[in-house]
Amino acid sequence: MVAHSGAAGTARPARLNAPRPALVEAQLGEPRRVNRVPVALVREEWRVVDRWWTEEPVVRGYFELVLESGENTVVFHDGSSGGWYTQRGA
């Protein structure tokens, strides 16, 4: 776990499960490859729309995937930035 410097030089741990940018190849909005590893199975898909009443709403399409490597991962497409991110795994 990476520590970041906080106020007055105190260390604080990195945020658990923080989103990381991912290289996702998608077809019709569904991931086909994540960080160059083919997707074997889409286990679940869901959409989150939150903070719609603020200047920075959250609009994300999440996918729980099994990659051909056997790894389980969760990726999401950020509707605001257009970027793809991993939330867990890959």
Side-chain angles (χ1 to χ4, degrees), residues 44-50 58-63 77-79:
E44 191 173 356
E45 178 180 345
W46 67 99
R47 186 171 169 86
V48 172
V49 178
D50 196 12
V58 174
V59 178
R60 296 177 176 172
Y62 281 86
F63 298 86
H77 182 257
D78 187 310

Side-chain angles (χ1 to χ4, degrees), residues 27-74:
Q27 185 176 13
L28 299 174
E30 187 172 292
R32 298 293 185 206
R33 296 173 75 87
V34 177
N35 297 329
R36 296 188 170 84
V37 180
V39 172
L41 176 68
V42 176
R43 298 182 97 185
E44 191 173 356
E45 178 180 345
W46 67 99
R47 186 171 169 86
V48 172
V49 178
D50 196 12
R51 298 175 45 141
W52 52 266
W53 60 91
T54 71
E55 291 183 26
E56 295 182 27
V58 174
V59 178
R60 296 177 176 172
Y62 281 86
F63 298 86
E64 182 178 355
L65 309 170
V66 178
L67 304 179
E68 283 190 6
S69 64
E71 184 176 7
N72 293 310
T73 189
V74 173

Side-chain angles (χ1 to χ4, degrees), residues 2-14:
V2 177
H4 297 280
S5 181
T10 59
R12 60 186 167 110

